[in-house]
Amino acid sequence: MRKYFALIALFLTFIGNAQILNPVQWKTKVIQKSANEFELVLDATIQHEWHMFSQFTPDGGSLPTLFEYKNQKGNYQLVGKTTESKYKKIYNDIFEVDEYMFENSAQFKQVIKVTNTNLKEIKVYVEYQVCKEQCIQQDETFTFKLPEIKPEAIEATTTPNPTLLDTVSNTTEVYQTTKTEKTQEVPVKKIKREEKKTDKWNLFLITLLAGILVTFTPCVFPMIPMTVSFFLKQSAKGDKTKGRMNALMYGFFIIAIYVLISLPFHIFQSLSPDIFYEISTNVYLNIFFFVIFVIFAISFLGAFEITIPSSLANKVDSASNYGGFIGIFFMALTLIIVSFSCTGPALGLVIGSVLSTDGGATLLTIAMLGFGFGLALPFMLFALFPSMMGNLPKSGGWLNTVKVVFGFIELALAFKFLSMADLVMDWHLLERETFIAIWIAIFGGLALYLFGKITLPHDSPMSNISVGRLLLGLLSLAFTVYLIPGLWGAPLNVISGFPPPMSYSESPYGVGNSKGGTSTTEALPEHAHYGPHDIVAFHDYQHGLDYAKKVGKPVLIDFTGVTCVNCRRMEELVWAKPEILKLLKEEVVLVSLYVDDKKELPKDQQYVSPVTGKEITTYGKKWSDFGISRYQANVQPYYVLMGHDEENLNTPVGYTPDVTEYKKWLEEGIGSFKK
């Protein structure tokens, strides 16, 4: 009987320590669309509280889902891109980016056109990351079986069946393969994640304010009394209702025209659902926006004016002589065209800022609605309540001041687009310190301008500055001073998300400080490098173990990943604590194994895993396979304290945000080693 109890205990111990998780279950099917066109469908069922990431999740965050279509050359062609079901956008405060993720389920579709009648199957390799409090790097290869394809089907020109995927009544044949591996849930501590949603009302209010501010520019402000007087004359003729109605219609047409500008983007989005993502991550488009914003900014600063051809403006103006609503519509269009030199840069700022996000055409329409309403509001308000006209300030040099302030702000925002391109391409031309230095120069220059120390073309001579200008100058100066510590590593939470992250900098420790305020003359061991908080670390298991034997310390294996959120949380919130950092620097040898390292293994070191049967071709796959084979663990972070005999000193742990608990675990393992 004791034997049976021992076997049961051994089995339960194995279950308790095993960490082989497979939170995503896949089902695949083929839908025949025409004689030689097929739709490959992959349905992922994701366990509760776990999430995997979209193909389009931005760079700098977690690992996106990747698809590789094998045996493609000479056999079939991809028709369009791989599409996917709707994802959620959640802000990651560690990586400081919005991440696109799936919860509970996800579906991916790819249409292919077969060109080889002898093709019997298609293999699709999928690589993805799935996370909870821990993350898992996973990859699968799916085989899609195809029916017999007649040679004449390749030659014939066919039209794909427009039937939706979910409606399979017109489908020729459907084949299914299912993976149903049993998964094991491991209890982990729950950490709250906050979803950063784009608030439509906030966007509307911000663009509304932008539209109102644009009216206080030299191109728009003088037109308010001229336009209002036109509608007042109609009211003076005895038809006050008609005059007010026309004033309201004038404002309505201004709003409608701006909303109409956004409508083509709805068409673009319907043709390509990923267009806004492509815009936000496309290097050339980001550089294009940067150049356009710089040109607009220089225009606002007074170097030149951007105008629409006068012939077009004259034609539109002449059309405003038509009576009724048609004439009012062309009056509104005339205002928009004539004032373009002032509203154009602001409008470009609105469009560019929204297009550089994943907000979609709906958010762009909301932004244009807010901007148009803000521009139209003063015209409608003063036409309805003409007595308020007396409260308007008189035109003067302050109008140009407003325009110049816009120019400085637009110039600062232009560098956000250049930064996006630089991050995507990893050029390191505009690292964090450089970006902040540019902003310091821009807003410092704005402060000097507002204080009257710098003058620009079209500025009126002034013997003193107004109270409003003084207050705005002080605000700009305060913001400039606030930015300066960012050069030395301050987080600058007020502008979080605008400058590049701390990891993308000339020195992660701040300008002029290479080791976080400490100095060391000790040479690094061979094959070692400085890890988080200057902890001496190894990226190779054997090198780390050899060094540990040499210095007589235990080994701390850190299964981690570049895109692992909670790995960074542990490093920033737990490892940074003095009591933990002291143990990591003095009592153990850290071996950090990155399971998402894409660097290819030398050909003679590549192999097929005897445990998973997968091809191991990169260092990341090697360390992932090592964790699965040795420790039955495929999660990150995952920590193992090991002696020189490669036996565990205590029970490995995963994500442990409690500093006291993690310290106790470290001291337990170190104590076992010293015994």
Side-chain angles (χ1 to χ4, degrees):
M1 183 65 71
R2 284 185 179 177
K3 282 187 177 181
Y4 292 114
F5 280 120
L7 287 173
I8 293 172
L10 180 62
F11 176 75
L12 292 176
T13 300
F14 175 78
I15 292 296
N17 290 330
Q19 301 284 313
I20 300 297
L21 302 181
N22 187 16
V24 181
Q25 299 297 304
W26 292 88
K27 290 184 179 180
T28 64
K29 63 183 176 183
V30 178
I31 297 179
Q32 189 163 357
K33 309 290 284 182
S34 67
N36 69 328
E37 285 195 346
F38 300 87
E39 189 167 49
L40 312 181
V41 183
L42 298 96
D43 287 295
T45 301
I46 307 167
Q47 285 187 6
H48 181 58
E49 293 187 349
W50 289 84
H51 51 266
M52 64 184 291
F53 299 90
S54 163
Q55 308 166 82
F56 312 117
T57 196
D59 292 337
S62 298
L63 183 70
T65 299
L66 303 174
F67 293 89
E68 183 180 345
Y69 295 88
K70 304 286 189 179
N71 64 316
Q72 182 179 345
K73 187 175 181 180
N75 291 319
Y76 63 93
Q77 301 170 349
L78 301 182
V79 180
K81 299 180 180 179
T82 303
T83 61
E84 59 184 39
S85 53
K86 188 175 182 181
Y87 53 72
K88 288 186 176 181
K89 185 175 92 170
I90 296 180
Y91 181 69
N92 188 316
D93 56 355
I94 294 295
F95 293 134
E96 296 184 341
V97 296
D98 289 315
E99 294 184 323
Y100 310 155
M101 60 181 63
F102 302 104
E103 295 176 346
N104 301 321
S105 65
Q107 186 178 73
F108 304 91
K109 309 173 189 175
Q110 176 64 58
V111 176
I112 59 113
K113 186 173 184 178
V114 177
T115 56
N116 178 9
T117 57
N118 296 320
L119 184 65
K120 301 299 182 184
E121 62 183 30
I122 293 175
K123 292 184 181 295
V124 180
Y125 173 77
V126 184
E127 186 175 355
Y128 58 97
Q129 185 179 61
V130 57
C131 294
K132 192 177 179 181
E133 276 67 42
Q134 296 167 305
C135 289
I136 304 172
Q137 307 296 129
Q138 300 231 267
D139 61 274
E140 306 279 357
T141 299
F142 299 100
T143 300
F144 293 84
K145 299 292 184 180
L146 300 179
E148 183 180 355
I149 303 172
K150 297 180 180 180
E152 56 266 25
I154 303 297
E155 300 173 2
T157 302
T158 59
T159 302
N161 190 336
T163 306
L164 291 175
L165 177 63
D166 293 336
T167 306
V168 295
S169 57
N170 293 330
T171 300
T172 305
E173 292 183 72
V174 177
Y175 299 84
Q176 288 191 330
T177 60
T178 306
K179 289 185 64 117
T180 56
E181 294 180 17
K182 186 176 180 180
T183 63
Q184 177 189 348
E185 185 69 38
V186 176
V188 289
K189 294 182 175 65
K190 187 173 182 180
I191 180 170
K192 184 179 180 182
R193 291 178 59 92
E194 295 183 2
E195 185 171 351
K196 186 185 178 183
K197 297 182 178 179
T198 304
D199 192 323
K200 295 181 176 63
W201 280 108
N202 283 348
L203 177 63
F204 176 79
L205 292 175
I206 291 171
T207 52
L208 173 69
L209 179 62
I212 293 174
L213 290 176
V214 164
T215 62
F216 294 97
T217 56
C219 317
V220 182
F221 189 79
M223 299 184 69
I224 295 177
M226 295 171 55
T227 306
V228 171
S229 64
F230 172 80
F231 295 113
L232 289 180
K233 288 178 181 178
Q234 291 184 331
S235 298
K237 293 179 181 179
D239 195 350
K240 292 185 178 180
T241 302
K242 181 180 178 182
R244 291 177 178 175
M245 178 59 69
N246 288 345
L248 290 174
M249 289 305 301
Y250 179 76
F252 170 78
F253 284 133
I254 291 175
I255 298 170
I257 291 169
Y258 280 110
V259 170
L260 285 171
I261 294 173
S262 71
L263 294 186
F265 293 95
H266 288 267
I267 300 173
F268 300 151
Q269 190 175 34
S270 66
L271 297 175
S272 175
D274 309 322
I275 187 169
F276 283 85
Y277 167 78
E278 293 170 359
I279 290 174
S280 66
T281 58
N282 186 283
V283 174
Y284 302 106
L285 283 175
N286 275 287
I287 292 175
F288 172 75
F289 280 127
F290 165 72
V291 172
I292 291 299
F293 272 46
V294 169
I295 292 172
F296 280 157
I298 294 173
S299 171
F300 263 172
L301 293 176
F304 53 83
E305 286 192 0
I306 301 172
T307 59
I308 288 179
S310 58
S311 58
L312 176 61
N314 292 333
K315 287 181 180 179
V316 174
D317 185 46
S318 63
S320 65
N321 294 324
Y322 290 109
F325 290 157
I326 296 178
I328 295 173
F329 171 81
F330 282 105
M331 280 184 63
L333 187 58
T334 301
L335 168 71
I336 292 171
I337 292 174
V338 171
S339 63
F340 182 78
S341 60
C342 290
T343 59
L347 187 61
L349 178 61
V350 171
I351 295 176
S353 298
V354 176
L355 290 183
S356 65
T357 71
D358 72 323
T362 301
L363 287 186
L364 180 60
T365 298
I366 292 172
M368 298 299 282
L369 176 65
F371 185 82
F373 188 69
L375 181 62
L377 186 60
F379 291 93
M380 294 188 295
L381 193 62
F382 291 119
L384 293 175
F385 306 99
S387 59
M388 296 176 61
M389 288 283 291
N391 298 323
L392 275 178
K394 295 181 179 180
S395 299
W398 65 271
L399 289 173
N400 189 67
T401 300
V402 173
K403 189 176 177 181
V404 170
V405 170
F406 280 154
F408 275 101
I409 294 174
E410 192 134 13
L411 184 60
L413 294 177
F415 284 93
K416 174 61 179 174
F417 293 99
L418 184 59
S419 174
M420 287 291 293
D422 187 55
L423 282 167
V424 170
M425 296 303 294
D426 200 31
W427 287 329
H428 287 270
L429 298 176
L430 195 61
E431 294 176 326
R432 184 179 176 89
E433 294 91 345
T434 308
F435 184 97
I436 293 172
I438 291 171
W439 270 38
I440 290 172
I442 291 173
F443 287 99
L446 175 58
L448 292 174
Y449 172 78
L450 291 170
F451 290 141
K453 302 301 180 182
I454 297 175
T455 56
L456 293 171
H458 312 301
D459 278 336
S460 302
M462 59 179 180
S463 57
N464 52 57
I465 60 175
S466 65
V467 173
R469 184 165 177 159
L470 173 64
L471 293 176
L472 190 59
L474 290 173
L475 180 64
S476 180
L477 179 61
F479 183 65
T480 304
V481 173
Y482 169 79
L483 292 174
I484 293 174
L487 296 173
W488 284 267
L492 303 180
N493 292 329
V494 170
I495 59 169
S496 177
F498 276 92
M502 284 293 298
S503 58
Y504 196 78
S505 59
E506 294 180 7
S507 171
Y509 309 102
V511 174
N513 191 348
S514 61
K515 292 291 175 236
T518 63
S519 61
T520 177
T521 57
E522 184 180 352
L524 276 172
E526 187 179 7
H527 305 298
H529 69 283
Y530 284 113
H533 314 295
D534 291 332
I535 303 170
V536 175
F538 293 84
H539 279 172
D540 183 88
Y541 171 79
Q542 193 59 50
H543 291 156
L545 178 59
D546 292 342
Y547 181 73
K549 291 178 179 179
K550 179 180 178 180
V551 297
K553 295 180 181 180
V555 176
L556 172 61
I557 303 177
D558 164 33
F559 287 98
T560 184
V562 175
T563 59
C564 173
V565 176
N566 284 319
C567 301
R568 302 293 85 75
R569 288 186 188 275
M570 285 293 294
E571 293 164 4
E572 293 182 12
L573 303 179
V574 179
W575 287 15
K577 299 298 181 183
E579 61 269 34
I580 302 295
L581 194 56
K582 180 177 174 65
L583 293 173
L584 296 179
K585 283 189 172 184
E586 299 177 4
E587 301 291 340
V588 301
V589 173
L590 177 63
V591 179
S592 293
L593 304 179
Y594 285 83
V595 301
D596 55 0
D597 186 347
K598 301 297 182 184
K599 186 179 177 183
E600 189 170 347
L601 284 166
K603 293 295 182 182
D604 59 346
Q605 295 183 28
Q606 297 180 12
Y607 63 97
V608 176
S609 170
V611 177
T612 64
K614 296 178 179 178
E615 294 183 5
I616 307 302
T617 56
T618 66
Y619 282 95
K621 290 181 179 180
K622 174 183 176 180
W623 301 132
S624 177
D625 183 63
F626 175 70
I628 292 171
S629 304
R630 174 75 68 87
Y631 301 106
Q632 294 77 51
N634 64 342
V635 297
Q636 304 87 46
Y638 191 69
Y639 305 105
V640 180
L641 270 170
M642 184 185 76
H644 297 163
D645 57 358
E646 300 185 63
E647 295 294 328
N648 293 352
L649 297 171
N650 55 0
T651 304
V653 297
Y655 178 65
T656 312
D658 187 296
V659 175
T660 303
E661 185 179 345
Y662 192 73
K663 181 186 178 189
K664 182 179 178 181
W665 176 79
L666 282 173
E667 290 175 336
E668 178 190 14
I670 294 169
S672 298
F673 176 80
K674 290 181 177 180
K675 289 179 181 179

